[in-house]
Amino acid sequence: MENSATGEAAAASEPTMEKILYSAELRHEKGKCTLTINDHLHGNVEVYVVPKSAVQKLPFYLAMVRSKLA
């Protein structure tokens, strides 16, 4: 996928058949963090209680993923 202004403009004018494959939500409620992963391809939902220490490391892991995609 292009990340240039012209690439985005061209993509915006073309009809797309975009489909969400996976999605994730991290929620904090009553002192507990819960990660919900939706596999939209197979209709599966997984829910995990995530330790606060793992949540604090999340920005580091996301930066690692971003660096691999760039």
Side-chain angles (χ1 to χ4, degrees):
M1 176 183 250
E2 283 186 75
N3 198 16
S4 67
T6 54
E8 290 174 6
S13 64
E14 297 174 10
T16 63
M17 296 300 292
E18 188 175 293
K19 182 176 181 179
I20 296 174
L21 305 177
Y22 295 92
S23 62
E25 293 180 341
L26 183 60
R27 298 175 184 241
H28 183 262
E29 184 178 349
K30 298 179 184 174
K32 185 168 73 170
C33 295
T34 305
L35 175 65
T36 303
I37 301 171
N38 289 292
D39 177 347
H40 298 276
L41 290 172
H42 301 103
N44 298 329
V45 177
E46 298 177 34
V47 179
Y48 301 96
V49 174
V50 180
K52 197 170 198 174
S53 60
V55 173
Q56 292 170 341
K57 294 177 186 176
L58 190 58
F60 170 77
Y61 294 126
L62 291 173
M64 282 183 18
V65 170
R66 271 189 230 103
S67 72
K68 298 293 181 187
L69 297 175

